[in-house]
Amino acid sequence: MTPISQVTGRAIPFGLKNVDTDIIIPAAFLKTITRSGLGKGAFQAIRAEPGNIFDNPTYAGSPTLIAGDNFGCGSSREHAAWALLDLGITCVIAPSFSDIFSGNAFKNGILTVVLPQEAIDRLMEVAKTDEITVDLETQTVTTPFQDRFSFEIDPFRKHCLLNGLDEVGLTLARDAAIGGYEAKAKGALPFLAVVQH
């Protein structure tokens, strides 16, 4: 997982409320066994409309998505997080998120930032013309116009995102302790050791 410390760039001022995972990535794209390439199907129904925000060249390569309340509701498909990452989005700012989506986003290295609607409204305006900076270390979202919004994040999630640690990375970080325990257990409980033939 790629560590996240600061995300700076144009943000996509999406703002739609109650965007479910079927809108983020339609079921037709769930047959894939790889995470890459899902970006082409992301927000397919919205992208079918002429002049949609996702195909606007102004926001090409934007690392941040500004969404409305209850983003990521609906099914538990992890493909929604994969599709966002494939679009280049590493941060989503919204007034609230579905718990399952928020968990999937975190496990895949996407920072979800919860801010009040007034802050979202301001960021939607700024995103039309200027960059936004999300700083995970200081837990702030700032603009070139001296706007500064603080956000809360679980300390464990913050640690993992700052250090690029997914579940495998967390386990590997304890390799020495695990090896030590296994060596001790092998000596104290030899009957648990697997016999190789």
Side-chain angles (χ1 to χ4, degrees):
M1 200 162 79
T2 305
I4 296 177
S5 173
Q6 195 175 84
V7 181
T8 300
R10 293 296 293 273
I12 302 170
F14 182 40
L16 193 63
K17 295 180 180 182
N18 300 313
V19 172
D20 65 31
T21 52
D22 195 49
I23 292 174
I24 299 170
I25 186 72
F29 292 91
L30 304 186
K31 299 171 190 166
T32 181
I33 56 170
T34 177
R35 297 178 188 204
S36 62
L38 286 172
K40 68 177 182 266
F43 301 101
Q44 186 182 53
I46 292 166
R47 291 166 92 177
E49 299 294 323
N52 74 83
I53 196 132
F54 291 101
D55 293 326
N56 183 330
T58 302
Y59 304 107
S62 293
T64 303
L65 176 70
I66 303 172
D69 204 24
N70 197 27
F71 186 79
C73 57
S75 75
S76 61
R77 65 186 70 163
E78 192 172 14
H79 294 67
W82 298 349
L84 290 173
L85 281 172
D86 203 51
L87 276 180
I89 294 170
T90 56
C91 179
V92 182
I93 305 171
S96 69
F97 295 91
S98 151
D99 286 344
I100 295 173
F101 171 82
S102 182
N104 284 339
F106 158 65
K107 289 178 181 181
N108 284 281
I110 297 174
L111 173 61
T112 54
V113 174
V114 175
L115 289 176
Q117 188 61 52
E118 304 76 48
I120 298 295
D121 293 342
R122 173 61 181 153
L123 293 173
M124 290 279 290
E125 281 303 309
V126 172
K128 293 175 185 174
T129 57
D130 290 271
E131 292 187 342
I132 290 170
T133 297
V134 180
D135 191 309
L136 179 54
E137 189 67 58
T138 61
Q139 296 177 211
T140 56
V141 180
T142 56
T143 74
F145 306 103
Q146 307 308 311
D147 298 295
R148 184 181 181 87
F149 305 107
S150 296
F151 62 90
E152 295 299 317
I153 185 168
D154 175 80
F156 174 73
R157 287 188 175 189
K158 179 178 180 176
H159 169 76
C160 290
L161 290 169
L162 282 170
N163 294 286
L165 296 171
D166 58 10
E167 290 161 333
V168 173
L170 284 167
T171 303
L172 290 175
R174 305 286 300 160
D175 186 49
I178 293 167
Y181 171 80
E182 288 175 340
K184 241 191 252 179
K186 195 175 193 179
L189 308 166
F191 55 88
L192 292 179
V194 178
V195 178
Q196 298 289 331
H197 293 287

